[in-house]
Amino acid sequence: MQLYNTLSAEERAVMIDDAGKQRLTLSFYAYAQIENPTQFRNELFLAWNPLEVLGRIYVAHEGINAQLSLPADHFYAFKDTIEQYDFMRGIRLNIAVEHDDFSFLKLTIKVRDKIVADGLNDDSFDPTNIGIHLKAKDFNDLLEDPNTIVVDMRNHYESEIGHFTNAIKPDVDTFRESLPIIEEQLAEHKQDKKLLMYCTGGIRCEKASAYFKHKGFENVYQLEGGIIEYTRQVKAEGLQSKFIGKNFVFDHRLGERITDDIVSNCHQCGQPCDVHTNCANEGCHLLFIQCEDCATAMEGCCSTACVDVIHLPEEEQKAIRRGIKNGNKIFKKGKSEVLTFKNAASGVVGTAVSTLEKRTKVQEPKIQKVLIGKGIHYFPKAQIGQFYIESGEIKTGDQILIKGVTTGEQTMTLAELFVNDAPSAIATTGQTVSFKLPFRIRLSDKLYKIVS
């Protein structure tokens, strides 16, 4: 009886690629009394593994916290597996704003002391005495109330790339750090202000709202379903999004765009950018924001020292990593002395890039391109790629570039187009376009028009 993942991430990526199925990324949580978390964990694995569910799931005596992906055609079978448990019957599933077939590459279900590391002693207060849940419209209305204080319950690297306007954003690495800081900062407003909280999917606010009520805050509110559900409601009801930028997510995507606003900067050169990445040096793996220019110049690394490491033979790299714990990976997200712009109090920026430029004598000319759309499907037998045009247009005769982590950079000239399965000379914003490709595309791939 298999109870653990037996495939590597690389093997699973190939299987996903070969399957050619569209996958859904979703998350959910539920607080409940689970008598035997280990048995519950094993039951979930046995039910989900045949359905090709992949993700990171934590279970504990207090409930379940799940972030996962699955083939779209297995969605209802998956729902049946969770609704066998009374406490998950009718549970809200937060469907991701943007999908990527490769958001998760393993099924990992772990038994933990808690489903969110909050550092709290739940015996000292009632965790079921939570704040008032607000839907998107009511949340927007309360944001306009001058007696409202809105607090981002996420970590600094999450709020840096996107947040609600006028929110307090604690500079913390972990959720548990934020609770005493917020309590101290708002101690004088326990009675006269409305405390309005939000997080990614709602789970952190669920515990935080009960904690703050226990600490004497009288008017406590939380965003129902977090940023993910808020975005869905905003789109469905035609509301104005008061959240700007990107929503950080804890999978391979590292973020999904909510609005076109870019509210953060590249940590190496300072130009507007909200793309998170992990340092290409596996012995570092620092999470930081890096623009396309710096990614090219620094070869995906956070520092010239890490660039030196990735050029060493693999055996030497492994020897360097041996015995090193996960320091940067866990405790140094977006905070490291090597991040030139992020830490340059003097205003001197760009050192990391200029240092590396001295090492490269010939620079390839950059292709001038305009982002047109994104991949939404690939038909392996017909060798046809399908894209959604997000802005602008493409027409027969145009040179295009298709770019993705796995695909790399592929250029070609469009000889024939199909819009809604009918031949067409042009495809414009809002349309779905298909054309033959000599290579496979992924849902994370971007479509560009080459302009020079």
Side-chain angles (χ1 to χ4, degrees):
M1 183 167 58
Q2 181 188 337
L3 291 172
Y4 297 91
N5 178 77
T6 57
L7 296 175
S8 69
E10 292 77 13
E11 290 170 324
R12 182 65 71 176
V14 172
M15 289 181 66
I16 292 173
D17 203 26
D18 290 342
K21 292 182 179 180
Q22 181 179 355
R23 298 180 65 89
L24 296 177
T25 300
L26 59 89
S27 61
F28 65 91
Y29 70 89
Y31 281 100
Q33 292 299 317
I34 298 176
E35 187 173 331
N36 190 333
T38 299
Q39 179 183 329
F40 176 58
R41 177 255 174 230
N42 292 344
E43 290 172 2
L44 292 181
F45 192 95
L46 291 172
W48 291 352
N49 195 43
L51 296 177
E52 301 172 71
V53 174
L54 304 173
R56 187 184 303 110
I57 298 94
Y58 299 132
V59 299
H61 284 291
E62 67 174 5
I64 181 171
N65 180 15
Q67 301 169 70
L68 52 86
S69 79
L70 73 159
D73 56 0
H74 291 174
F75 177 73
Y76 290 104
F78 168 77
K79 279 193 70 176
D80 289 342
T81 67
I82 62 176
E83 293 195 345
Q84 291 181 22
Y85 301 91
D86 289 341
F87 72 91
M88 289 195 287
R89 197 163 292 148
I91 194 172
R92 180 183 59 248
L93 301 176
N94 286 327
I95 307 296
V97 177
E98 297 178 345
H99 293 287
D100 185 332
D101 288 350
F102 303 91
S103 56
F104 291 100
L105 295 175
K106 290 185 179 181
L107 176 57
T108 304
I109 309 178
K110 294 185 177 181
V111 176
R112 291 282 180 86
D113 292 333
K114 290 194 172 189
I115 55 177
V116 173
D118 52 37
L120 299 175
N121 175 13
D122 290 5
D123 293 336
S124 65
F125 68 100
D126 181 3
T128 66
N129 183 23
I130 60 176
I132 298 171
H133 283 232
L134 296 178
K135 295 189 181 298
K137 185 180 183 306
D138 294 330
F139 190 88
N140 277 0
D141 291 342
L142 204 56
L143 283 175
E144 301 301 318
D145 188 333
N147 288 317
T148 293
I149 297 176
V150 59
V151 179
D152 194 321
M153 297 305 302
R154 302 171 304 154
N155 304 324
H156 71 90
Y157 53 89
E158 299 174 77
S159 60
E160 185 174 7
I161 61 170
H163 50 77
F164 279 96
T165 52
N166 300 320
I168 294 173
K169 304 181 289 295
D171 185 22
V172 295
D173 290 338
T174 63
F175 173 54
R176 70 174 67 195
E177 291 177 61
S178 66
L179 298 173
I181 291 174
I182 293 167
E183 182 190 357
E184 182 180 353
Q185 286 184 349
L186 305 181
E188 297 179 1
H189 300 293
K190 292 185 177 182
Q191 286 78 39
D192 66 326
K193 298 290 185 181
K194 296 170 184 174
L195 177 58
L196 182 58
M197 297 180 294
Y198 68 91
C199 57
T200 306
I203 187 170
R204 284 176 275 192
C205 292
E206 202 81 357
K207 185 63 69 74
S209 67
Y211 173 79
F212 287 126
K213 288 186 73 173
H214 168 69
K215 288 295 185 177
F217 288 84
E218 295 183 358
N219 304 294
V220 181
Y221 301 84
Q222 61 196 87
L223 179 58
E224 181 179 286
I227 300 162
I228 299 173
E229 175 63 13
Y230 173 86
T231 303
R232 188 195 67 78
Q233 292 179 18
V234 162
K235 291 181 177 180
E237 300 172 28
L239 305 174
Q240 178 188 0
S241 177
K242 297 297 182 74
F243 184 95
I244 56 174
K246 289 174 75 174
N247 178 32
F248 185 94
V249 292
F250 292 89
D251 57 55
H252 290 297
R253 296 172 298 154
L254 295 178
E256 51 187 12
R257 183 155 300 287
I258 308 301
T259 70
D260 292 333
D261 304 272
I262 298 178
V263 299
S264 52
N265 304 88
C266 172
H267 287 169
Q268 291 178 315
C269 74
Q271 75 172 342
C273 178
D274 55 12
V275 179
H276 271 106
T277 189
N278 287 108
C279 179
N281 174 13
E282 292 294 335
C284 172
H285 214 58
L286 174 73
L287 178 72
F288 68 109
I289 297 174
Q290 187 178 53
C291 70
E292 198 170 308
D293 289 341
C294 288
T296 300
M298 297 294 293
E299 301 182 60
C301 292
C302 67
S303 66
T304 53
C306 283
V307 174
D308 290 337
V309 170
I310 67 170
H311 286 288
L312 294 172
E314 182 61 29
E315 286 307 311
E316 288 189 42
Q317 292 188 48
K318 288 181 179 179
I320 293 172
R321 293 199 296 267
R322 204 165 291 136
I324 295 178
K325 297 296 182 182
N326 291 332
N328 277 347
K329 194 185 303 183
I330 297 174
F331 301 109
K332 301 282 188 179
K333 291 179 177 175
K335 291 184 177 180
S336 172
E337 65 280 358
V338 304
L339 299 176
T340 315
F341 177 80
K342 179 90 171 171
N343 297 284
S346 64
V348 179
V349 300
T351 306
V353 176
S354 60
T355 301
L356 185 60
E357 283 174 348
K358 295 175 184 177
R359 300 156 56 106
T360 54
K361 296 181 179 179
V362 179
Q363 293 276 341
E364 290 288 331
K366 281 182 65 64
I367 295 176
Q368 297 299 310
K369 58 188 184 296
V370 176
L371 180 62
I372 298 294
K374 61 182 180 181
I376 56 175
H377 199 68
Y378 181 74
F379 302 90
K381 290 184 179 179
Q383 291 188 309
I384 288 177
Q386 197 171 63
F387 295 83
Y388 178 73
I389 305 299
E390 296 179 317
S391 63
E393 65 180 32
I394 55 172
K395 57 184 182 296
T396 54
D398 280 345
Q399 270 198 304
I400 61 167
L401 180 145
I402 298 170
K403 182 177 180 180
V405 175
T406 306
T407 306
E409 295 190 14
Q410 305 284 348
T411 59
M412 59 179 288
T413 300
L414 289 171
E416 189 177 24
L417 295 178
F418 294 87
V419 173
N420 298 329
D421 297 326
S424 177
I426 189 171
T428 59
T429 303
Q431 292 184 326
T432 298
V433 60
S434 306
F435 46 85
K436 281 190 171 294
L437 289 172
F439 53 86
R440 180 186 293 270
I441 66 161
R442 283 79 181 170
L443 295 190
S444 57
D445 287 357
K446 301 297 183 184
L447 172 65
Y448 299 86
K449 179 164 69 174
I450 298 174
V451 294
S452 66

